Each structure stands twice: as C-alpha cells, then as structure tokens.
C-alpha cells in the first residue's frame, strides 16, 4: 500500500474528513494492482475504400495502371485492422471490464496479462451508452482481480492512479488527482471523474484506482488538441460501471428503468413563469403512452422526488430512473398547480421503449401574425398534412423567427408548433394574446410556451417586457 505521511484537520472544523498527504511512493500500490490489469488487442476485417491509393485525373492513362498495381483483379480488397486498449479483471473466474469502443466491431479479442500470458476473450455484453464492455476468458488457474470502490466518496483533490497500455507501449502507471467530479460529456448517463493522471490512446478501458487499490473509474476519454495527454482525462465513475457490469453479467445486456416522459430542466426563467420558488426538479413536457401516463402524470408537472430521493435536475432524474427496478412500483412526487401530488408508477424497460420510431420533421408554413418575435399561424387541416402532424393537433405554427428576438436566442425556429401558453391550450393568435395579458395581470415577467418540434415537446419561457 502507498505510505501515508499523515493526516490533518482544519482548525475549527472537526467534522471534516481527514485528508491524506502525498504518498512517498506509488510502488507498493502499483505492485499490488498490476496483476489484475490487462492489455487488450482486437482485430477485425475492414472493407477497403475505393478512395484509397494515389489520386490521378479521371481518364488519365495512369488510371488503369494504378488500379492494376493495387489489385490485379481491379477490385478493392478488405484488410485486417488491429486496435489496442486496456482492461482489468474483476473476478477470479475471468470476467474483464473494458470500454465498448475498444472492442466494438472486433471479431478477435486477445488479452495479455502482466505476467505475459495471453488468452483469447469472448464478448459477454456491451453498453454503448456508458461505453462499457464485459469480456470473459477461461483460465486453468484463478486470476488475480480487483474490486470496485465507491466513486461517490472520491473528492476533488484525492490521489488516484491510472494503469494501462498507453500508445501500445505496454503496462504503464501514471498518478494524479481527481480534478473534478460529476462531469458530463455527451451521454445520457455520464458521470465522469476528471483527472490529471496521464491518460493517452491505449489507456481506454483501463482502471483508475484510489489509494486502497479499488477501482473508482474506467478511463474512457481525454480532452486534447493533439491526441496526447494534456492533463484532462475522464474516467466513468465506478458506481455507474458496477451496475452496468452486474446487468451485463446476468443478462448479457442492460435493463434500465423507463418512466415514459419527456422532460427538461427547470431554469430560473421557467421557474419564474410557473411561479415556483426554486429552479429545481424536472419539468414534464410530454406524457406519451407509458408508465407515467398510466399513473396520471401530466404535461407541466414538475417532478421533485423519485423513489424517496429529491430530484435536482433532468440528469439526476434520468440516472435514478435508470437504476430503479423494472416492473416495480415507485413513488413519484410532482408539483402541479402549486400543490404536491404523489403518484405510484410501475416502471417499464427503457431499451424496449427506445425502439419506437421518431415523428416526422415539420416543414415551413405561411405567416399570419407576429407575437413575441414570432410569426405565427393557426394549425389548419391542410397544415397538419403539410407538416405531417398527428391527427387532432391544434396550436400555432412558427413560420418565421426574428433573429434578434429572445425567442431566437432560446432556440425557437421555423416549423415549431406552440400548443400551450401559460400552461393552457391555445388554438389561435387571440388565445395567445389572452394568455399574455393574463400573465401580465398576474405580475409575471415571462410566459411559458409549450413548443413541439419533430414530435418532441419542450417548455420555453419568453419575457413579456
């Protein structure tokens, strides 16, 4: 284990956790964990590109020459491509965790252990949403392995160690600190630890360890202008990874909970428009057929609590729903018209729900009147067909957005359909103007619009001044 130089408490704050000093050396820790870290080599057949090779003018006498030189038959040839990555053993019977992008598309996967032994691995399952893959090797002897730690206990400034196969150079250790927590890149379930421990190409899928030799992250991505480490690396938090791995091991796939709502964050302007005290929770923009609709949830509800836990924002709710058990009832607290209501929702499975195709994209329409920087026209029967809107859709279609208006700044565009204003249905320009006057009379500084685009709804708060 790494040497602990000492602990310190800040004077006057006896309840703060003890802080570890800088280790004298990481050698003991590296020796302890290295037998469970592996290098991964994958190979796959890649179709040849017809654009490969020298470029010559069309019709040139050299054109046929180069084609024949590349391939006597004149046809592009496929070739085998190899890729490198890292991983780590999580059980003595040979389960190995790595990144999905390390093994994606591979038809052969080979694992090299610190001892030099090489074994062929089979793919158990993958989760592209968190970029995690689970492999399995068969070994005649029990394999050394490492355990997951609790990533939620990691603090900004804690020491961490990364290990893997950077740039294909073989087993390598780098050390640093947790630079930040709860980072999101582009995925729905992102929860990354940011670290300045050197992570390079080939480190993907390798472990990030705490000072107790527990895995607190899976090294996944770097932020770099040149492809090399500049001290900004991202490791998927172990508390996310361990749940995914358990499902992949049990089912060969993920099984996430599904609430069946479209949601958005409650921003300060939306909170003001709705008369909310705090900009917290997840605002429901649409409730299609599914578990939430069956439980009585409505568009405009603000979800403040899920299964006993307070909801801070959309990301918080999404992760909690995903981790909740499928087919079991959970208590969901919503704020509706200033009052709290508790609904019992039996969750479905997200993977099955995502198979539903998206709605068609609306097209532009003729203008009729301008309000709040928007040129609007009521939806007619002809427009429903033209815009490919669902039968019975009512509201106002946006045919133009003033580029210097607040509406444009907040993302409203031609083809959007406004179906509600002030959380009431509208079918005409006069309806919208009436809702605006009511909001002004109530002392509101903005009005909340429910806007649909490509079948997806969202709330937009526009200023009335």
């Amino acid at each position: 284990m790494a040497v602990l130089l000492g602990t310190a408490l800040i004077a006057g704050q006896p309840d703060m956790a003890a802080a570890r000093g800088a280790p004298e050396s990481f050698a003991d820790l590296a020796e302890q964990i290295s037998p469970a870290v592996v290098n991964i080599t994958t190979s796959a057949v890649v179709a040849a590109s017809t654009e490969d090779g020298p470029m010559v003018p069309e019709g040139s006498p050299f054109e046929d020459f180069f084609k024949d030189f590349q391939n006597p038959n004149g046809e592009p040839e496929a070739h085998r491509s190899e890729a490198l990555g890292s991983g780590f053993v999580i059980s003595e019977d040979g389960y190995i965790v790595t990144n999905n992008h390390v093994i994606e598309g591979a038809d052969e996967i080979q694992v090299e252990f610190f001892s030099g032994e090489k074994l062929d691995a089979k793919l158990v399952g993958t989760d592209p949403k968190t970029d995690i893959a689970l492999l399995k090797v068969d070994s005649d002897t029990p394999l050394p392995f490492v355990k997951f730690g609790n990533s939620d206990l990691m603090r900004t400034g804690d020491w961490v160690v990364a290990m893997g196969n950077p740039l294909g150079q073989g087993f390598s250790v780098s050390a640093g600190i947790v630079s930040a927590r709860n980072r999101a890149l582009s995925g729905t379930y992102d929860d990354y630890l940011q670290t300045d421990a050197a992570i390079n190409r080939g480190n993907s899928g390798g472990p990030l360890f705490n000072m107790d030799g527990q895995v607190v992250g899976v090294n996944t991505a770097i932020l770099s202008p040149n492809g090399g480490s500049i001290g900004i690396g991202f490791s998927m938090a172990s508390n996310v990874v361990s749940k995914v791995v358990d499902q992949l091991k049990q089912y060969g796939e993920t099984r996430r909970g599904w609430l069946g709502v479209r949601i958005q964050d409650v921003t300060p302007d939306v909170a003001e428009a709705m008369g909310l005290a705090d900009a917290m929770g997840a605002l429901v923009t649409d409730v299609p057929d599914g578990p939430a609709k069956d439980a009585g949830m409505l568009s405009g509800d603000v979800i403040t609590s899920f299964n006993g836990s307070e909801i801070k924002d959309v990301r918080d709710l999404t992760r909690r729903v995903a981790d909740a058990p499928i087919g079991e009832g959970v208590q969901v607290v919503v704020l509706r018209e200033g009052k709290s209501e508790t609904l019992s929702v039996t969750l479905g499975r997200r993977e099955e729900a995502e198979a539903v195709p998206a709605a068609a994209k609306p097209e532009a329409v003729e203008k009729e009147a301008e309000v709040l920087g928007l040129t609007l026209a009521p939806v007619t029967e002809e427009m429903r067909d033209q815009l490919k809107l669902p039968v019975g859709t009512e509201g106002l279609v946006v045919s133009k957005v003033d580029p210097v208006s607040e509406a444009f700044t907040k993302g409203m565009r031609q083809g959007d359909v406004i179906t509600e204003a002030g959380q009431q249905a509208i079918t005409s320009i006069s309806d919208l103007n009436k809702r605006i006057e009511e909001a002004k009379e109530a002392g509101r500084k903005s009005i909340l619009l429910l806007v649909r685009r490509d079948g997806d709804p969202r709330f937009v708060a526009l200023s009335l001044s």
Side-chain angles (χ1 to χ4, degrees), residues 81-411:
S81 173
E82 289 192 347
L84 301 173
S86 306
F88 54 98
V89 185
I90 60 169
S91 64
E92 64 178 12
D93 57 346
Y95 282 100
I96 296 172
V97 174
T98 186
N99 279 147
N100 175 62
H101 76 258
V102 169
I103 54 81
E104 189 171 20
D107 50 37
E108 293 181 6
I109 305 173
Q110 188 177 71
V111 173
E112 179 186 6
F113 294 83
F114 190 74
S115 63
E117 182 183 10
K118 295 181 180 180
L119 294 174
D120 291 331
K122 64 179 180 180
L123 180 62
V124 177
T126 67
D127 179 34
K129 292 186 181 297
T130 56
D131 198 11
I132 295 299
L134 183 64
L135 310 177
K136 179 72 166 61
V137 297
D138 293 324
S139 174
D140 294 333
T141 58
L143 296 173
F145 64 94
V146 288
K147 296 181 178 181
F148 286 110
N150 186 349
S151 55
D152 287 345
L153 298 180
M154 299 303 294
R155 300 171 301 164
T156 300
D158 279 345
W159 283 100
V160 285
V161 168
M163 191 168 184
N165 182 22
L167 304 174
Q169 295 302 301
F171 291 92
S172 176
V173 175
S174 59
I177 62 170
V178 175
S179 304
R181 299 180 63 246
N182 303 124
R183 291 296 201 201
L185 299 181
S186 60
T188 305
Y189 307 105
D190 284 359
D191 184 11
Y192 287 103
L193 297 177
Q194 180 184 326
T195 178
D196 64 353
I199 296 175
N200 287 285
R201 296 182 186 276
N203 273 115
S204 291
L208 188 72
F209 291 101
N210 62 18
M211 292 298 97
D212 293 322
Q214 299 169 329
V215 178
V216 292
V218 177
N219 302 324
T220 302
I222 61 173
L223 183 61
S224 171
N226 55 21
S229 174
I230 60 170
I232 305 178
F234 300 94
S235 299
M236 183 61 76
S238 60
N239 285 5
V240 174
V241 177
S242 60
K243 294 170 185 174
V244 170
V245 167
D246 286 344
Q247 291 190 348
L248 293 180
K249 185 184 291 188
Q250 184 174 357
Y251 307 112
E253 59 186 1
T254 56
R255 297 188 177 185
R256 295 187 169 96
W258 178 58
L259 187 58
V261 291
R262 293 186 177 94
I263 51 178
Q264 70 180 65
D265 285 328
V266 179
T267 57
D269 57 348
V270 169
E272 195 282 330
M274 297 183 69
L276 303 178
D278 300 305
M280 291 184 62
L283 175 58
V284 178
T285 62
D286 191 28
V287 190
D289 292 340
K293 185 174 183 179
D294 294 340
M297 196 171 294
L298 302 174
S299 173
D301 286 348
V302 177
I303 299 174
T304 59
S305 174
F306 178 85
N307 205 19
S309 299
E310 183 183 51
I311 297 301
K312 299 177 182 178
D313 51 29
V314 165
R315 185 176 169 215
D316 187 19
L317 177 62
T318 301
R319 289 178 53 196
R320 292 187 185 281
V321 172
D323 292 341
I326 298 169
E328 296 184 15
V330 296
Q331 301 298 303
V332 181
V333 179
V334 301
L335 191 60
R336 179 183 300 169
E337 298 179 354
K339 298 179 180 179
S340 290
E341 294 193 24
T342 301
L343 307 176
S344 180
V345 185
T346 301
L347 300 181
R349 184 184 172 198
R350 185 182 180 96
E351 289 81 0
E352 295 175 353
E354 286 179 339
V356 178
K361 184 178 180 179
E363 302 172 3
V365 295
E366 295 296 324
K367 66 179 183 179
E368 182 175 318
E370 185 175 342
V371 182
L372 300 175
L374 302 167
T375 302
L376 305 168
V379 175
T380 64
E381 198 66 46
E382 294 76 19
M383 286 181 181
R384 291 191 190 98
D385 295 335
Q386 181 184 356
L387 300 171
K388 301 178 182 178
L389 298 172
V391 176
T393 298
E394 295 183 324
L396 301 175
V397 178
V398 178
S399 61
K400 186 178 179 182
V401 185
D402 186 343
V404 298
S405 68
E406 181 190 18
F408 187 90
T409 302
K410 291 191 173 180

